[in-house]
Amino acid sequence: MNTYNLAVVLLVLDHYPLDSIRDIRLSFSSLFNGGPWEDKTLSVAGQELSLNDIEHRILRPIWPDRRLHFALNCASVGCPNLATEIYRVETLDQQLNAAEQDFLQNNRAVFWQPRSNTLQLSSIFDWYQVDFASNENQLLDYLQQQGAVSPEILSTPDLKISYDYNWNLNTDS
């Protein structure tokens, strides 16, 4: 997680100024995937790795923990906050719990729009729903159990669920 976050920060700094990490085009594949995630920008123990290698081929398969999504930062407004200190083995559970609660209590994660009866969720919950729940109803149960959404909102007649993500560069955290 620390390697991923540091790589993202360095990547943004190397290409700053920019409006979004998706503006970084390092290779031919970057032109089509909307960002640098597939580009091999890191070398770890002699192995060339991309951000996607770290997240999807290393971390998620060997460590299936939903809180991982609250610890990885992609330098975007829609992302969970970048941790202010490195993740440490001895405090990892507490740090991940704090990152989870910090994000879930933010309107970037869950935002109620009463005029349209719409519960807007971060696209993280759509892209990685399998890491949170088997289906959308179970996802809503998880969000309620975490205190991110109230039972009253979930019982709203004609409740609509939408997903959104702000890719603008997060220069605040």
Side-chain angles (χ1 to χ4, degrees):
M1 291 180 296
N2 295 321
T3 301
Y4 182 99
N5 289 338
L6 180 59
V8 168
V9 169
L10 291 175
L11 195 59
V12 168
L13 289 175
D14 285 347
H15 293 86
Y16 197 79
L18 65 154
D19 295 324
S20 169
I21 191 172
R22 296 175 81 185
D23 296 338
I24 298 172
R25 307 284 192 253
L26 300 174
S27 69
F28 188 71
S29 68
S30 296
L31 295 173
F32 299 102
N33 70 15
W37 289 275
E38 285 297 331
D39 295 319
K40 306 285 186 184
T41 57
L42 295 153
S43 180
V44 177
Q47 178 79 31
E48 297 299 313
L49 297 174
S50 69
L51 294 171
N52 274 346
D53 288 333
I54 294 171
E55 182 176 4
H56 302 295
R57 295 186 253 312
I58 297 172
L59 289 173
R60 287 181 68 218
I62 65 170
W63 192 46
D65 187 323
R66 69 176 183 256
R67 299 172 303 169
L68 176 67
H69 299 291
F70 308 120
L72 299 178
N73 185 281
C74 68
S76 299
V77 171
C79 229
N81 290 332
L82 180 62
T84 57
E85 56 186 48
I86 64 169
Y87 290 98
R88 299 179 185 279
V89 172
E90 44 295 335
T91 57
L92 188 57
D93 251 0
Q94 297 92 332
Q95 288 176 293
L96 291 175
N97 287 338
E100 179 179 37
Q101 285 308 303
D102 180 56
F103 187 64
L104 291 178
Q105 300 309 314
N106 190 296
N107 64 10
R108 291 174 294 163
V110 178
F111 183 69
W112 172 237
Q113 301 171 342
R115 287 186 173 184
S116 62
N117 288 341
T118 302
L119 185 62
Q120 182 179 301
L121 303 178
S122 168
S123 293
I124 291 171
F125 298 119
D126 184 33
W127 300 330
Y128 305 111
Q129 181 178 308
V130 67
D131 293 348
F132 293 96
S134 300
N135 57 53
E136 194 171 68
N137 286 333
Q138 288 181 359
L139 173 63
L140 295 174
D141 288 344
Y142 157 73
L143 293 172
Q144 180 182 335
Q145 290 166 3
Q146 295 297 318
V149 63
S150 71
E152 294 78 29
I153 289 173
L154 294 181
S155 63
T156 300
D158 301 320
L159 176 67
K160 297 175 207 71
I161 308 295
S162 70
Y163 297 91
D164 189 46
Y165 198 81
N166 184 339
W167 282 105
N168 289 328
L169 191 65
N170 186 353
T171 55
D172 293 333
S173 60

